[in-house]
């Protein structure tokens, strides 16, 4: 959503510096939002798929090691347990108990040795959908004033006001959710959008 707010905002701001009609700004903005939804959504899907493939590859490797070098893997289980504060004798007993079930053994190694959790089912598709929808919603916030206001200059000023407010609100909510300092997090998100839009506007003016 942060990218959806920032990129179309910068694009429409840049075009506002050189165009005297909102028609091309709207068309360009919609095209950018569509391209952004597809590219970022697809990127999210591929990232999710890569995570699943990486997990499956590591799990396959763990099963192979359990089959081929069980003594080494058993020693690794004991070492992990001792690192967690379990004494040596008890670690050996627990390791032997775990080794009786290869699925449990492999799962133990994935979680405690490799620090990897099994990705949720349909995570890639859900990630793609969430990213694309968030970009779409964010992108139409700076574009809406151009749709309802025919004068590009007026629409530009309204778009700036609306988008900056949206960036501040989004930055605040993001900071609260992620546990960052609220003022710093809000400022960081807002200033990114403002600087990007100002640079695009100034560049379009300079080129024209």
């Amino acid at each position: 959503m942060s990218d959806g707010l920032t990129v179309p905002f910068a694009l429409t701001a840049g075009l506002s510096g050189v165009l005297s009609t909102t028609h091309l700004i709207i068309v360009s903005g919609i095209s950018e939002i569509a391209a952004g939804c597809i590219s970022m959504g697809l990127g999210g899907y591929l990232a999710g798929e890569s995570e699943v493939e990486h997990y499956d590859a590591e799990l396959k490797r763990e099963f192979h090691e359990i089959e081929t070098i069980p003594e080494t893997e058993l020693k690794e289980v004991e070492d992990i347990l001792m690192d967690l504060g379990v004494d040596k004798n008890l670690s050996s007993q627990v390791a032997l108990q775990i080794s009786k079930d290869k699925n449990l053994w492999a799962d133990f190694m994935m979680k405690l040795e490799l620090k990897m959790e099994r990705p949720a089912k349909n995570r890639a598709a859900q990630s793609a959908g969430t990213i694309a929808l968030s970009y779409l919603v964010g992108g139409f916030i700076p574009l809406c004033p151009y749709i309802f206001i025919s004068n590009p200059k007026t629409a530009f000023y309204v778009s700036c006001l609306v988008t900056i407010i949206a960036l501040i609100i989004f930055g605040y909510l993001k900071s609260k959710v992620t546990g960052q300092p609220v003022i710093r997090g809000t400022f960081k998100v807002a200033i990114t959008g403002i600087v990007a839009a100002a640079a695009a506007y100034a560049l379009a003016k300079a080129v024209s």
Side-chain angles (χ1 to χ4, degrees), residues 11-172:
L11 173 66
T12 53
L15 293 175
S16 298
V18 294
L19 297 177
S20 58
T21 174
T22 58
H23 176 71
L24 287 176
I25 296 174
I26 293 168
V27 172
S28 300
I30 291 174
S31 299
E32 195 288 321
I33 292 170
C37 286
I38 293 169
S39 64
M40 293 194 69
L42 184 59
Y45 180 82
L46 294 174
E49 285 286 284
S50 296
E51 187 178 356
V52 173
E53 290 171 1
H54 178 55
Y55 182 90
D56 289 343
E58 290 296 325
L59 182 62
K60 184 178 179 181
R61 184 178 63 80
E62 284 297 336
F63 273 114
H64 176 71
E65 290 178 352
I66 288 170
E67 291 287 348
T68 56
I69 47 172
E71 297 83 4
T72 302
E73 290 296 291
L74 194 62
K75 180 64 169 60
E76 288 180 359
V77 174
E78 292 179 17
D79 292 341
I80 291 169
L81 291 170
M82 284 190 289
D83 288 341
L84 293 173
V86 182
D87 67 56
K88 184 173 177 58
N89 291 333
L90 187 56
S91 295
S92 299
Q93 293 175 36
V94 174
L96 286 172
Q97 186 66 35
I98 290 172
S99 67
K100 292 178 181 179
D101 186 333
K102 291 181 179 179
N103 290 320
L104 179 62
W105 192 354
D107 188 56
F108 179 92
M109 299 302 288
M110 292 295 291
K111 289 179 178 177
L112 295 179
E113 182 191 29
L114 301 180
K115 305 296 189 293
M116 295 180 67
E117 291 286 342
R118 184 184 297 276
K121 289 184 178 180
N122 302 321
R123 182 173 180 176
Q126 290 172 357
S127 177
T130 301
I131 291 170
L133 181 61
S134 298
Y135 193 94
L136 178 68
V137 172
F140 267 99
I141 290 174
L143 187 62
C144 275
Y146 296 94
I147 297 173
F148 297 108
I149 301 171
S150 58
N151 186 300
K153 290 297 179 188
T154 304
F156 169 67
Y157 294 132
V158 174
S159 177
C160 286
L161 178 62
V162 169
T163 307
I164 289 170
I165 291 171
L167 284 166
I168 291 171
I169 293 170
F170 177 77
Y172 172 80

